[in-house]
């Protein structure tokens, strides 16, 4: 069987993240999640299909083959364990661990990965809210940019883990588990009134990468 490349694993992980979030596994959604062009994604989708890692139905919806699903879940699980190790044991800020994990996760021996798993105790998610037992369906929720003003929200998950996306979000004062009320939301930005006090402002593109649990406050 052909060796799976690091680039292929990245795409399999992006597909897994869509599946976990209950979103359609389509090339268009992968392009959006990874911020890459449609032709680039189509090229990679053809390769994944040719290597027997995914299948597509007549409507071009993507599904994992058994082998592709296993590779995606193993890689995602390891990534999330390494991230959790970096935050909880080495105390690296949560918005910077994704890129650090990417640098080391594929060179770890199984023994080191198992010891990292032991070191993080009973943690069930990575620092951004994604399940360590990869493939578990995550709780149904909405993206912050889709929430009406006046709604109460709790931050559940950061879908785009890249440092460049997370740093302004962290600088604005957001983190996992924070509770707030949406003060305003327009085509430029979303302003949150934090329960802890103060406001947090994020651009609408960043808000689209933040998954929240929301409850309307009514009036
Ligand atoms: Zn993560």
């Amino acid at each position: 069987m052909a060796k799976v490349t690091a680039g292929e694993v990245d795409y399999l992980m992006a597909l897994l993240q869509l599946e976990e979030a209950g979103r359609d596994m389509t090339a268009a959604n992968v392009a959006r999640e990874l911020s890459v062009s449609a032709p680039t994604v189509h090229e990679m989708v053809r390769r994944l299909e040719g290597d027997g890692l995914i299948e597509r139905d007549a409507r071009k919806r993507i599904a994992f083959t058994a082998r592709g699903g296993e590779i995606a879940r193993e890689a995602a699980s390891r990534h999330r364990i390494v991230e959790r190790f970096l935050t909880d044991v080495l105390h690296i800020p949560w918005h910077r661990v994704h890129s650090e994990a990417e640098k080391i996760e594929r060179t770890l021996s199984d023994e080191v990965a198992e010891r990292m798993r032991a070191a993080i105790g009973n943690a069930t998610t990575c620092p951004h809210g994604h399940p360590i037992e990869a493939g578990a369906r995550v709780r149904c929720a909405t993206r912050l940019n889709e929430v009406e003003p006046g709604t109460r929200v709790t931050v559940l998950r950061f879908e785009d883990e890249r440092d460049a996306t997370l740093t302004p979000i962290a600088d604005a004062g957001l983190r996992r588990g924070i509770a707030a009320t949406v003060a305003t939301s327009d085509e430029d930005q979303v302003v949150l009134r934090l329960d802890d006090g103060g406001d947090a402002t994020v651009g609408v593109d960043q808000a689209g990468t933040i998954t929240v649990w929301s409850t309307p406050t009514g009036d």
Side-chain angles (χ1 to χ4, degrees):
M1 247 179 285
K3 190 162 160 29
V4 180
T5 65
E8 284 181 308
V9 173
D10 287 341
Y11 277 76
L12 291 174
M13 286 171 69
L15 284 164
L16 179 75
Q17 207 157 308
L18 290 171
E19 185 180 67
E20 287 174 333
R23 302 208 152 198
D24 287 337
M25 290 164 71
T26 59
N29 278 345
V30 173
R32 201 169 57 217
E33 296 292 322
L34 291 175
S35 310
V36 291
S37 71
T40 306
V41 172
H42 283 290
E43 166 72 28
M44 181 57 92
V45 164
R46 270 198 299 277
R47 257 176 63 189
L48 293 171
E49 199 174 23
D51 288 347
L53 300 170
I54 61 167
E55 296 165 340
R56 280 186 294 176
D57 67 15
R59 294 175 55 199
K60 302 275 185 205
R61 281 175 315 197
I62 296 168
F64 288 122
T65 61
R67 179 163 179 257
E70 192 180 322
I71 291 168
R73 286 190 298 275
E74 266 182 34
S77 182
R78 178 169 287 202
H79 176 72
R80 294 164 184 177
I81 288 167
V82 173
E83 284 184 337
R84 179 58 82 175
F85 179 83
L86 295 176
T87 55
D88 289 20
V89 180
L90 302 188
H91 308 294
I92 297 171
W94 63 270
H95 58 280
R96 297 204 338 245
V97 293
H98 173 74
S99 59
E100 294 292 346
E102 282 191 319
K103 285 178 209 158
I104 58 177
E105 65 201 21
R106 283 170 201 164
T107 58
L108 292 181
S109 66
D110 289 345
E111 187 195 345
V112 171
E114 276 160 28
R115 284 175 189 260
M116 283 185 173
R117 181 74 184 95
I120 61 174
N122 54 9
T124 57
T125 68
C126 81
H128 315 107
H130 301 276
I132 285 173
E133 192 186 314
R137 186 71 125 201
V138 294
R139 185 157 58 149
C140 179
T142 45
R143 301 281 173 112
L144 180 58
N145 63 324
E146 296 163 356
V147 175
E148 297 291 324
T151 306
R152 302 254 328 129
V153 295
T154 304
V155 175
L156 281 184
R157 226 167 30 245
F158 297 97
E159 305 296 347
D160 182 346
E161 304 192 330
R162 285 171 289 194
D163 301 15
T165 304
L166 291 180
T167 297
I169 292 172
D171 288 348
L174 292 186
R175 61 178 187 279
R176 258 190 92 213
I178 210 164
T181 302
V182 176
T184 65
S185 179
D186 57 36
E187 63 268 24
D188 294 326
Q189 61 185 35
V190 177
V191 179
L192 296 171
R193 197 131 298 146
L194 307 179
D195 285 14
D196 295 349
D199 287 349
T201 302
V202 289
V204 73
D205 290 342
Q206 289 151 8
T209 70
I210 301 172
T211 297
V212 296
W213 181 247
S214 64
T215 43
T217 48
D219 48 7

